Amino acid sequence: MSATTTAPARAIDAGSPMMELRGVSRRFEKKLDFAGRIAKRLGAPVREEVVHAVDNVDLTIRKGEVVGLVGESGCGKSTLGRMVAGIMPPSDGTILRNGVDIRSLSHAAAKEMKLRTQMIFQDPYASLNPRMRVADIVGEAPLVHGITTRTGYEAYVDEQMRRAGLDPAFKRRYPHQFSGGQRQRIGIARALAVKPDFIVCDEAVAALDVSIQAQILNLFMRLRTELDLTYLFISHDLGVVEHLSDRVVIMYLGRVVEEAPTETVFSQPNHPYTQSLLASVPRIENRKRAFAVVKGEIPSPLNPPPGCHFHPRCPHAMERCKVEKPVLKEVAPGQRSACHLNDAA
Amino acid sequence: MAAPTLEVRNLRTHFFTRAGIVKAVDDVSFTVERGKVLGLVGESGSGKSVTGFSIIGLVDPPGRVTGGQILFQGRDLAKISEEEMRDLRGNRIAMIFQDPMMTLNPVLRIDTQMIETVQAHKKVSREEARQRARDTLGMVGIPSPDERLMAYPHQFSGGMRQRVAIAIALLHEPDLIVADEPTTALDVTIQGQILAEVQKLAQTTGTSLIWITHDLSVVAGLADDVAVMYAGRIVEKGPVSEVLDAPLHPYTAGLIGSVPSRNKRGEPLRQIPGMTPSLLNLPPGCAFRSRCPRAAEACMAEPGISEILPGRETRCFFPMNTPAEQAA
Ligand SMILES: Nc1ncnc2c1ncn2[C@@H]1O[C@H](COP(=O)(O)OP(=O)(O)O)[C@@H](O)[C@H]1O
Ligand SMILES: Nc1ncnc2c1ncn2[C@@H]1O[C@H](COP(=O)(O)OP(=O)(O)O)[C@@H](O)[C@H]1O
Ligand code: SF4
Ligand code: SF4
Ligand SMILES: [Mg+2]
Ligand SMILES: [Mg+2]
């Protein structure tokens, strides 16, 4: 590969920070629709609305870790994942890859860095070109980037397919000729073919039936050890995240509300939102049991409640919660939580 | 004893497609007693929705109910007129869909839709109908129902729309509700709220429920009985706790085993190899054969469903967790 000079060396101490987010935010402007524009011209008090999809997030992911990112729809998981994968720039804040600010990299180094972080999506079908054969879907990028050669191409593609649990005999087929689980394997083979060391999985098993989901999760775990991968694993499914992750990050309306080692999150959740979320998850062990209830709806991200975003739904909300934003603080070793209750007593 | 709310006997619903006959529902039998919840589980394509549509008489060509009986409070629904069926539907039998917009009309205000639904089956004044609408919205946990009645579906969140769809299903206090994955698309806190309301309703109203889902954990919390479908057939049914604690069918065991929380954290999940077969040209014999760890020569023949233990049925030549097996 060319121009690797300014990129950080690949050999890094185990456990050193691979991805560091410092005060990362991402805003989207919601453009006015036609009626809104007319109303505005006529003097109505309408304005373009801004969604704080990700709001001032600090997060460190160390080499070899699997960090689970959970939260309900619209809380900013995918947006955070895209920024980490380098396919969407933050509005504010800094992202360090192996200690280096990605904005400071040369063009070539930035390109290589982008290859080294790959993203796997929920709907493999939408992310696979329907008119390309599997062999080309998997082999095109490695060829373009000089990871394989014309002569080594066929063998390289076969190896990638086999590793993802696909029979290379089917490499001349098109995506629609595969089942959902196999398509996800194609997506995985494509991502791994460019030799990444960091993978962002965005709801990668959400669309699959449980039996197929188990197969794909097992594949992710096997590849992690085989290839020494680091994962940011985004999922709304707490059971999946609990099984796979070393550490869990919980988001609510753009903010990280809690972060802790997996065992701690599930045995001693600190943040009232984490507690509510855990209580709401149906568990196969709980028979004919009253479902726990968190009150209220998820507020619109366009107009989140002031102070602590969770206060309208929180059973412990105090006056202070309505006006003052709680900050993430360490509440136990490795456990950070953003809740005013931790200041009391 | 009164007749059960629903008794389905040897139901067959097939699709006559150009590629061949799809036996989407094949020899399916189950009973739902008054006030009970039956969980109908299985992976996608196993025939859950078609079973639901067959019960409410909404199978469209090229599909057709080709055999069996659907006895609703003792009456065979296959033998009644389309008009009688229409009268039952939305009145004594209601269906809730994964997508609430299958129930809701996007261009009508909620009050209009609900009042029309009430008056379709009951001769009451508009004001009485409105009161009924208000009450049912309250029953499904919708705050400020008066305000909500004046709104259009698009002004609601997905969870709120589903609640309204459920409220519409409840307007006539039906005897049977068929719910087809109504919480699958919702966030977990919203799903929890709806499941809690549904649980309360089943306990207080005597309505029977068929809750279709792919999620065994939901069934565990909600249902009295469970029927597990695979490739158009019920492979196991029985009381929820017994089935989940000691499944008879290897497929049920496989499903339970692949739930992440049933595995040690970080260890490989127990997995069912392979994938579900196409319902077009199912090979003869047990449909689960190619994926089954217990498959043997005998499984080349087709297993029938039989009662292995009191109240527990399975479709397998070599069931698991039988007293004989546990003694061995
Ligand atoms: N490209 C975009 N343009 C405008 N708004 C967006 C865009 N992407 C995401 N959003 C908004 O940002 C918020 C967070 O979205 P997302 O990151 O997709 O959440 P999640 O993945 O947790 O469901 C949502 O309110 C969403 O509508
Ligand atoms: N209109 C149709 N034409 C042909 N096959 C159909 C049709 N509708 C459903 N099927 C088939 O019936 C089977 C069962 O479908 P369904 O009941 O929707 O499964 P589930 O709800 O368990 O996911 C599937 O294999 C599906 O392909
Ligand atoms: S800060 Fe207040 S409202 Fe927010 S979670 Fe803590 S107690 Fe609840
Ligand atoms: S009949 Fe045979 S193949 Fe089918 S589930 Fe039972 S043991 Fe397995
Ligand atoms: Mg997302
Ligand atoms: Mg279905």
Side-chain angles (χ1 to χ4, degrees):
Chain A
M1 222 177 296
S2 60
T4 53
T5 43
T6 49
R10 178 133 193 179
I12 296 219
D13 296 341
S16 62
M18 185 162 246
M19 199 67 81
E20 281 172 274
L21 276 61
R22 295 195 186 150
V24 166
S25 297
R26 173 75 205 198
R27 293 177 292 275
F28 294 107
E29 272 168 45
K30 194 145 191 172
K31 294 268 181 262
L32 289 176
D33 59 10
F34 183 67
R37 286 202 304 273
I38 300 263
K40 186 173 181 178
R41 193 165 305 163
L42 295 176
V46 290
R47 55 192 170 83
E48 316 238 298
E49 289 173 299
V50 176
V51 187
H52 291 263
V54 172
D55 184 6
N56 198 16
V57 167
D58 293 320
L59 176 67
T60 301
I61 301 171
R62 294 178 181 280
K63 181 164 167 52
E65 263 193 316
V66 178
V67 173
L69 178 59
V70 298
E72 296 179 281
S73 53
C75 72
K77 303 181 298 295
S78 296
T79 305
L80 189 72
R82 288 196 189 99
M83 291 191 288
V84 165
I87 56 180
M88 178 184 277
S91 308
D92 276 320
T94 310
I95 299 177
L96 305 180
R97 177 64 141 98
N98 301 340
V100 179
D101 185 342
I102 49 176
R103 280 170 312 190
S104 72
L105 294 175
S106 69
H107 182 68
K111 229 163 120 182
E112 196 223 327
M113 196 55 82
K114 220 164 160 176
L115 277 189
R116 281 173 52 185
T117 310
Q118 286 292 313
M119 192 149 176
I120 294 167
F121 300 90
Q122 163 170 359
D123 181 2
Y125 203 47
S127 65
L128 301 175
N129 184 338
R131 282 181 296 275
M132 269 168 84
R133 295 179 195 276
V134 173
D136 300 320
I137 289 174
V138 173
E140 188 178 56
L143 193 62
V144 169
H145 295 283
I147 295 167
T148 184
T149 56
R150 283 252 169 250
T151 43
Y153 184 77
E154 294 296 326
Y156 191 77
V157 166
D158 291 0
E159 183 197 333
Q160 303 308 311
M161 286 184 70
R162 237 178 261 119
R163 195 165 59 199
L166 290 164
D167 186 346
F170 298 142
K171 67 181 174 183
R172 301 275 156 238
R173 295 196 181 175
Y174 293 93
H176 74 264
Q177 293 171 293
F178 292 85
S179 69
Q182 286 170 323
R183 277 181 214 144
Q184 196 52 285
R185 291 180 192 274
I186 299 172
I188 293 168
R190 176 182 60 177
L192 295 178
V194 293
K195 299 196 184 297
D197 56 2
F198 192 103
I199 307 281
V200 178
C201 295
D202 190 0
E203 302 283 4
V205 297
L208 304 175
D209 275 317
V210 267
S211 73
I212 307 301
Q213 178 178 301
Q215 296 173 3
I216 300 294
L217 290 174
N218 284 344
L219 177 63
F220 279 131
M221 289 190 279
R222 180 164 64 73
L223 293 170
R224 174 198 186 184
T225 27
E226 261 179 40
L227 303 174
D228 219 358
L229 298 171
T230 304
Y231 288 113
L232 175 62
F233 198 90
I234 300 172
S235 176
H236 69 281
D237 185 333
L238 281 132
V240 167
V241 165
E242 179 178 14
H243 188 76
L244 220 70
S245 313
D246 302 310
R247 211 146 51 84
V248 177
V249 175
I250 295 115
M251 285 181 80
Y252 190 71
L253 286 175
R255 296 178 186 161
V256 171
V257 296
E258 181 162 7
E259 178 197 334
T262 306
E263 294 219 347
T264 314
V265 164
F266 286 89
S267 60
Q268 290 146 328
N270 176 279
H271 198 282
Y273 176 62
T274 313
Q275 293 167 359
S276 306
L277 206 55
L278 291 179
S280 298
V281 180
R283 295 206 160 245
I284 196 166
E285 295 80 19
N286 299 346
R287 304 295 158 70
K288 256 303 191 188
R289 216 173 83 173
F291 288 97
V293 167
V294 194
K295 63 176 181 183
E297 292 198 64
I298 305 166
S300 158
L302 273 171
N303 193 10
C308 173
H309 286 342
F310 189 54
H311 84 254
R313 308 176 76 191
C314 180
H316 311 291
M318 314 165 274
E319 272 315 304
R320 182 183 175 194
C321 307
K322 296 178 189 162
V323 288
E324 191 185 332
K325 168 185 166 178
V327 293
L328 269 178
K329 284 186 197 150
E330 183 145 86
V331 293
Q335 182 174 27
R336 299 194 301 154
S337 173
C339 171
H340 293 311
L341 288 176
N342 294 315
D343 294 345
Chain B
M1 226 176 88
T5 305
L6 184 75
E7 209 181 336
V8 172
R9 289 188 192 153
N10 311 105
L11 176 69
R12 287 176 206 279
T13 305
H14 296 175
F15 287 86
F16 298 87
T17 70
R18 230 182 277 165
I21 300 174
V22 177
K23 297 182 179 174
V25 174
D26 204 24
D27 192 21
V28 160
S29 305
F30 57 82
T31 302
V32 193
E33 303 287 350
R34 201 180 119 78
K36 295 288 182 196
V37 182
L38 171 76
L40 189 58
V41 300
E43 296 182 281
S44 44
S46 59
K48 306 181 296 296
S49 296
V50 173
T51 302
F53 284 122
S54 303
I55 293 166
I56 61 162
L58 287 181
V59 178
D60 288 326
R64 194 151 41 83
V65 174
T66 58
Q69 292 174 302
I70 301 166
L71 304 172
F72 176 69
Q73 298 171 334
R75 278 165 87 194
D76 190 346
L77 296 186
K79 299 227 167 70
I80 67 175
S81 70
E82 180 52 36
E83 204 184 317
E84 285 174 290
M85 190 65 216
R86 250 198 313 267
D87 192 50
L88 280 179
R89 210 186 294 138
N91 182 7
R92 308 317 325 139
I93 305 176
M95 187 147 178
I96 310 169
F97 305 91
Q98 176 168 345
D99 179 1
M101 293 315 284
M102 298 263 293
T103 305
L104 300 175
N105 186 331
V107 301
L108 292 182
R109 248 172 36 190
I110 299 298
D111 58 350
T112 316
Q113 307 194 34
M114 294 188 82
I115 289 167
E116 275 177 7
T117 310
V118 174
Q119 291 185 325
H121 297 285
K122 237 189 208 147
K123 286 206 164 44
V124 291
S125 73
R126 229 183 132 70
E127 206 26 63
E128 283 171 288
R130 170 177 282 275
Q131 186 54 45
R132 177 71 196 147
R134 200 180 290 132
D135 292 346
T136 39
L137 287 179
M139 273 165 83
V140 296
I142 292 185
S144 40
D146 280 305
E147 227 170 276
R148 303 293 181 165
L149 278 172
M150 305 299 285
Y152 290 89
H154 74 262
Q155 294 171 292
F156 294 159
S157 66
M160 197 54 80
R161 269 182 223 152
Q162 192 57 283
R163 275 168 207 268
V164 175
I166 295 174
I168 289 177
L170 294 173
L171 279 173
H172 293 283
E173 297 176 10
D175 301 309
L176 175 69
I177 296 177
V178 180
D180 191 1
E181 311 233 20
T183 59
T184 299
L186 302 177
D187 275 309
V188 49
T189 59
I190 309 302
Q191 164 171 284
Q193 293 168 352
I194 289 181
L195 291 177
E197 300 292 347
V198 167
Q199 208 164 39
K200 239 190 293 168
L201 285 171
Q203 282 157 7
T204 53
T205 61
T207 297
S208 303
L209 262 175
I210 298 177
W211 196 271
I212 296 176
T213 176
H214 65 280
D215 191 340
L216 279 173
S217 307
V218 168
V219 163
L222 192 66
D224 300 286
D225 296 296
V226 59
V228 181
M229 285 191 82
Y230 187 79
R233 297 190 180 125
I234 288 177
V235 295
E236 170 153 18
K237 69 184 172 203
V240 166
S241 261
E242 292 178 38
V243 171
L244 295 183
D245 289 338
L248 296 173
H249 198 280
Y251 176 64
T252 316
L255 276 185
I256 297 168
S258 50
V259 172
S261 70
R262 276 295 167 106
N263 291 263
K264 203 155 167 273
R265 195 156 76 76
E267 304 258 298
L269 296 165
R270 269 162 281 158
Q271 62 180 48
I272 306 173
M275 55 188 189
T276 43
S278 155
L279 294 189
L280 206 60
N281 311 317
L282 265 186
C286 174
F288 190 55
R289 204 177 62 217
S290 63
R291 308 175 75 186
C292 180
R294 294 164 83 90
E297 198 62 32
C299 310
M300 300 292 280
E302 200 177 306
I305 191 155
S306 53
E307 190 165 358
I308 305 273
L309 294 167
R312 307 264 327 256
E313 292 177 37
T314 191
R315 194 185 277 280
C316 172
F317 291 119
F318 307 107
M320 315 168 56
N321 293 312
T322 57
E325 179 168 295
Q326 282 172 342

